[in-house]
Amino acid sequence: MILSPDILLTLSTLVILFSIASALSVWSDGEFPTVALGALAAGVGVFVYAYWSLDDPQGWREVPDAFISVLSRVMN
């Protein structure tokens, strides 16, 4: 079962944000952020796949629309 592109966009955006924060934290400690960069690469890959699987992508407006769609699915 493949998740809908809205869910994938939302999850991958969150993974990207958390992995950037993690990479900066590990880098400021003086170490190389291997795991965080791996999570960042995976998040970007899933984001690109989800964006390409949309029927009619309309630019960066899709990201907030995806968050609203997922929130409405959770609230319903």
Side-chain angles (χ1 to χ4, degrees):
M1 179 176 99
I2 297 177
L3 296 174
S4 75
D6 290 340
I7 295 173
L8 289 175
L9 277 175
T10 303
L11 290 177
S12 65
T13 303
L14 292 175
V15 167
I16 289 169
L17 291 176
F18 286 128
S19 65
I20 289 172
S22 175
L24 289 174
S25 173
V26 171
W27 181 62
S28 69
D29 288 340
E31 299 177 15
F32 188 74
T34 307
V35 176
L37 291 180
L40 180 65
V44 168
V46 172
F47 184 89
V48 169
Y49 169 75
Y51 189 78
W52 280 348
S53 66
L54 289 172
D55 294 332
D56 185 27
Q58 299 177 358
W60 290 105
R61 179 75 179 131
E62 293 293 336
V63 176
D65 289 345
F67 273 92
I68 292 169
S69 173
V70 169
L71 183 64
S72 67
R73 287 180 190 183
V74 169
M75 298 298 282
N76 191 6

